[in-house]
Amino acid sequence: MVDLSVCLGDIRMANPVMTASGTCGYAFELNDFVDVSALGGFITKSITLEERAGNPPQRTFETAAGMINAIGLANVGLERFCSEKVPLLDRMEIPVIVNVAGKGVDDYVAVSRRVAGLDCVAGLELNASCPNVKEGGITFGTDPCAISELVSAVRKACPETYLIVKLTPNVTDIAQMARAAVDAGADCLSLINTFVGLAIDVETRRPVLGNRTGGVSGPAIKPMAVYMVNRVYEAVGKPLGVPIIALGGIATANDALEFILAGASAVCVGTQMMIDPNCAMVIISGIEDYCRRHEVASVMELVGALE
Amino acid sequence: MKNKLKRGQYVGRIGGQRSFGVGHRVMTIEFEGEAGSVLGGAVPGQFVQVACRDMDISRVGDPLLRRPFSIAGVRVEPGNFGEVTCLDLVYRVVGPGTRWLERRRVGDLVDVIGPLGNGFTLPEDGKAILLGGGIGFPPMFFLADELSRRGVQKVAFAGTRTVSHIEGSLKPAAIDSADVLEPTMALEEFVRSQTACVITTDDGSCGYGGSIVAALGEFLVRNPDWGDAVLYACGPDGMLKALAGFAAEKGMACQVCMEAYMACGIGVCQSCVVTVKEGTAQKYKMVCANGPVFDAARVVWGS
Ligand SMILES: Cc1cc2nc3c(=O)[nH]c(=O)nc-3n(C[C@H](O)[C@H](O)[C@H](O)COP(=O)(O)OP(=O)(O)OC[C@H]3O[C@@H](n4cnc5c(N)ncnc54)[C@H](O)[C@@H]3O)c2cc1C
Ligand SMILES: Cc1cc2nc3c(=O)[nH]c(=O)nc-3n(C[C@H](O)[C@H](O)[C@H](O)COP(=O)(O)O)c2cc1C
Ligand code: FES
């Protein structure tokens, strides 16, 4: 018997595979295709204080081995999330992490405070990394002082809550941002969000996306993501004992294993869940096969086992 | 008819494909068991998300995203081991995904998610005019089948840039017809539902030379008894916009089946939005989950 369970603080998950924010909806939207309760955990779409309509279309475009998106954090907002989605999340049998985004620190604090108090919520993921909205998101994630201020404020408002901070790769040194987040009170780090990119329609000489720029995701970004996870693990995760949730281009069990060996305690699948929702099951059983083949009793033994 | 229709991810087998016209193909995908019964429940206007690559590999390749295609028809046929549901797609070869589809041979496997989206609101009686432009025919073929089952009186308009795009399905009736605005059994896929059809081409190479909306206008002048019909349309945005304007002017009800660039196709990513009027407000609606069929009068058309 292979033990696939992992722990993020007090959050115990049956396996290390979770959904990535923004790619699997608010709750059970993918249940027609995959039994979401068989995953390790569920991370919701980003929730903001006010409902957001999102960016003007075109919002996505396929690129080589990936895609670029500028959805613009379109979401139902805190009130509707609580009235419409939370009753669904109450029925979810796996740990639920709510992803929180905002324009300013006050927004994050207001949403976090309300959401942290909900029974169905195991933890919060602060999206300090969305590249597709003018204010907020990435502006926090690219300045160590700003991320520190943000995390401290949410930490103060929600002292008991398990706090995950989601980092952007659009920085010179991601370990510096990771350090700032942990020093300000983050319990866990998740990385990476999308890389800022630009796709141009050469016929019209205009940007393909309504927002001009977007965020690149999918298999194309995986090697950079694995590197960043390893860098953050070596510099912050391992010395300070802070777990890492890794994501960026995962589509197969081997992709997930690369991230775990690089230092991740759990992984999220984003873009691939929209293409092949069942991939989560294939990844989970692939990790189990790997452990059996390598005579590993617990998947936790693999975390950071990169030679 | 809204939501909560069953859907799933299934593997089907190519039953065959042939040319619909230059650069255009008709493909049949066969499904058995649960897949067959779920996809067999599809209604006109719904679409499927097709993985246009080999999914059974350990490394993910291009094209990464699934490609959306309207359902052009569904038939249940007896097979060797129980019933087989045959799903028809009609597609134009434009890029890597559709080129991959073109290379599939009988017996090859394809991974399909569906049926997706909401279908047309169907009448129990009265009259219907079906308009398909460009690669907008497919849902019209399926709609014609269903209207024929219901005994609704119908006539179709099929608009294309040039005749070669549809020559694989064109019947002699289209060419022999002396009167271009007289509907005939002109297109193979409409013949099975006994739907007479007016062909329009932008370059005048067959049928009515000019826009499909202009043809409709002239047809209605000649046949005022069709003035109370419901319009059903699918095609390029320009055509749908012109038609929506025409319908508003004539006070005709008009349902349009729209396209938008999609990633998931199942309502989780918010990629595929169009602007729709809701009372005095304007809202983004997802084509994949709230559409693809919308009331033309409520769509806010782009420039
Ligand atoms: C609801 C819906 C129903 C459709 N039904 C049909 C149909 O019945 N027959 C048919 O031939 N085509 C249909 N299309 C268009 C079809 O999806 C595209 O032609 C196809 O995705 C092209 O893929 P490709 O790889 O061959 O070409 P690409 O080179 O990838 O794209 C060529 C063009 O196709 C469009 N396109 C590409 N990817 C997507 C995507 N993910 N979502 C939407 N559009 C895209 C873009 O406008 C692009 O410029 C439909 C689209 C939608 C949204
Ligand atoms: C369509 C789409 C929407 C996304 N929305 C969010 C979001 O709301 N909040 C967030 O923190 N990340 C969002 N992301 C980023 C993903 O969670 C993830 O970090 C990124 O896509 C990399 O992982 P992947 O390659 O597995 O998709 C989104 C990504 C995509 C493709
Ligand atoms: S394509 Fe993802 S929501 Fe419509």
Side-chain angles (χ1 to χ4, degrees):
Chain A
M1 258 310 272
V2 178
D3 182 6
L4 286 182
S5 69
V6 296
C7 290
L8 299 172
D10 290 337
I11 305 173
R12 198 179 164 76
M13 305 196 298
N15 64 68
V17 180
M18 315 167 79
T19 57
S21 179
T23 59
C24 299
Y26 298 100
F28 292 106
E29 285 93 328
L30 289 185
N31 250 46
D32 288 342
F33 311 103
V34 60
D35 177 10
V36 174
S37 62
L39 273 71
F42 185 84
I43 305 187
T44 67
K45 171 78 190 162
S46 281
I47 307 300
T48 55
L49 190 55
E50 310 289 344
E51 181 167 348
R52 287 181 60 95
N55 286 328
Q58 183 171 342
R59 291 182 172 181
T60 37
F61 183 63
E62 186 179 86
T63 54
M67 61 178 274
I68 180 166
N69 89 79
I71 307 297
L73 297 182
N75 80 96
V76 296
L78 180 63
E79 283 313 316
R80 282 183 58 200
F81 174 73
C82 289
S83 61
E84 295 170 21
K85 312 299 177 185
V86 169
L88 302 172
L89 290 171
D90 277 334
R91 283 191 263 131
M92 198 169 274
E93 287 157 14
I94 56 174
V96 171
I97 311 279
V98 176
N99 182 297
V100 177
K103 284 197 192 114
V105 172
D106 294 349
D107 281 18
Y108 280 92
V109 168
V111 178
S112 298
R113 189 175 270 141
R114 176 85 176 273
V115 171
L118 299 167
D119 285 341
C120 62
V121 175
L124 301 182
E125 180 181 58
L126 300 184
N127 178 0
S129 46
C130 181
N132 298 327
V133 293
K134 287 222 170 50
E135 56 299 70
I138 202 165
T139 50
F140 289 102
T142 51
D143 173 356
C145 297
I147 206 170
S148 175
E149 190 198 339
L150 171 67
V151 177
S152 307
V154 176
R155 177 82 292 166
K156 198 158 148 247
C158 314
E160 307 292 325
T161 305
Y162 194 71
L163 209 56
I164 304 160
V165 176
K166 185 167 180 179
L167 302 174
T168 171
N170 301 295
V171 290
T172 312
D173 183 7
I174 195 166
Q176 191 191 3
M177 306 307 302
R179 180 88 209 204
V182 171
D183 286 348
D187 297 307
C188 175
L189 300 164
S190 59
L191 59 149
I192 57 176
N193 208 314
T194 52
F195 281 92
V196 178
L198 173 62
I200 298 172
D201 179 339
V202 296
E203 297 303 325
T204 61
R205 304 188 183 184
R206 291 162 71 160
V208 172
L209 299 182
N211 186 52
R212 293 187 78 86
T213 59
V216 182
S217 65
I221 69 170
K222 195 196 73 184
M224 291 83 96
V226 174
Y227 162 72
M228 288 184 171
V229 166
N230 189 237
R231 165 109 184 90
V232 169
Y233 177 69
E234 295 292 347
V236 182
K238 193 173 165 189
L240 301 184
V242 176
I244 295 171
I245 300 172
L247 69 165
I250 295 177
T252 68
N254 276 5
D255 294 340
L257 285 160
E258 275 195 63
F259 279 106
I260 294 170
L261 293 170
S265 298
V267 296
C268 298
V269 191
T271 301
Q272 187 66 14
M273 286 296 278
M274 303 193 293
I275 300 164
D276 184 11
N278 191 51
C279 73
M281 297 303 111
V282 178
I283 292 171
I284 294 166
S285 64
I287 295 173
E288 189 173 1
D289 285 349
Y290 176 92
C291 290
R292 206 172 287 129
R293 211 150 38 79
H294 289 263
E295 296 178 354
V296 171
S298 159
V299 69
M300 301 267 256
E301 292 170 37
L302 297 173
V303 177
L306 173 68
E307 305 263 320
Chain B
M1 192 128 309
K2 286 262 171 316
N3 276 321
K4 292 307 139 212
L5 290 163
K6 219 170 144 18
R7 55 190 195 165
Q9 179 178 355
Y10 305 109
V11 175
R13 196 175 289 278
I14 306 289
Q17 62 171 323
R18 66 168 174 84
S19 172
F20 179 81
V22 173
H24 291 67
R25 315 275 297 167
V26 195
M27 167 182 266
T28 302
I29 313 175
E30 299 175 348
F31 299 88
E32 292 172 3
E34 187 203 321
S37 59
V38 172
L39 286 160
V43 296
Q46 287 192 297
F47 66 100
V48 288
Q49 278 274 66
V50 182
C52 295
R53 61 179 158 85
D54 190 356
M55 293 287 273
D56 187 26
I57 44 172
S58 58
R59 187 165 149 183
V60 171
D62 284 325
L64 188 70
L65 301 175
R66 286 172 185 268
R67 300 297 196 247
F69 296 97
S70 302
I71 299 172
V74 169
R75 293 178 308 281
V76 178
E77 291 179 355
N80 293 337
F81 307 99
E83 287 183 334
V84 176
T85 298
C86 301
L87 187 87
D88 287 339
L89 306 180
V90 178
Y91 63 95
R92 172 187 290 168
V93 181
V94 290
T98 45
R99 275 200 297 276
W100 185 89
L101 282 181
E102 188 181 22
R103 291 194 301 271
R104 293 311 96 200
R105 296 287 166 260
V106 172
D108 286 354
L109 303 181
V110 264
D111 188 303
V112 170
I113 285 181
L116 299 171
N118 304 298
F120 292 102
T121 303
L122 300 177
E124 293 303 332
D125 45 34
K127 300 193 192 76
I129 300 178
L130 285 54
L131 303 107
I135 195 61
F137 311 120
M140 295 302 137
F141 297 148
F142 190 12
L143 178 60
D145 293 341
E146 184 58 36
L147 293 178
S148 152
R149 261 190 290 274
R150 293 177 177 231
V152 174
Q153 208 186 333
K154 60 198 175 330
V155 62
F157 286 72
T160 177
R161 218 161 55 232
T162 184
V163 68
S164 67
H165 289 178
I166 57 170
E167 68 191 10
S169 279
L170 207 60
K171 306 296 270 187
I175 301 137
D176 299 344
S177 166
D179 179 356
V180 293
L181 281 173
E182 179 63 35
T184 59
M185 290 297 149
L187 264 190
E188 174 77 38
E189 282 71 16
F190 278 135
V191 173
R192 63 181 189 231
S193 58
Q194 288 298 301
T195 308
C197 150
V198 169
I199 304 281
T200 76
T201 51
D202 292 349
D203 65 358
S205 51
C206 181
Y208 179 92
S211 88
I212 195 168
V213 181
L216 172 68
E218 287 187 38
F219 174 86
L220 288 174
V221 170
R222 272 216 227 159
N223 303 279
D225 51 320
W226 282 91
D228 59 353
V230 178
L231 304 174
Y232 294 91
C234 182
D237 273 1
M239 164 193 149
L240 297 183
K241 182 181 178 180
L243 184 67
F246 178 89
E249 194 189 303
K250 303 283 178 205
M252 296 175 85
C254 179
Q255 296 176 37
V256 291
C257 184
M258 300 192 62
E259 289 191 7
Y261 202 96
M262 293 184 177
C264 71
I266 51 184
V268 294
C269 75
Q270 302 268 353
S271 286
C272 57
V273 294
V274 291
T275 311
V276 169
K277 285 175 239 168
E278 252 189 17
T280 52
Q282 295 193 353
K283 290 217 160 147
Y284 284 135
K285 290 283 174 190
M286 291 178 277
V287 169
C288 72
N290 306 119
V293 176
F294 292 95
D295 175 355
R298 289 183 49 207
V299 176
V300 179
W301 301 95
S303 45

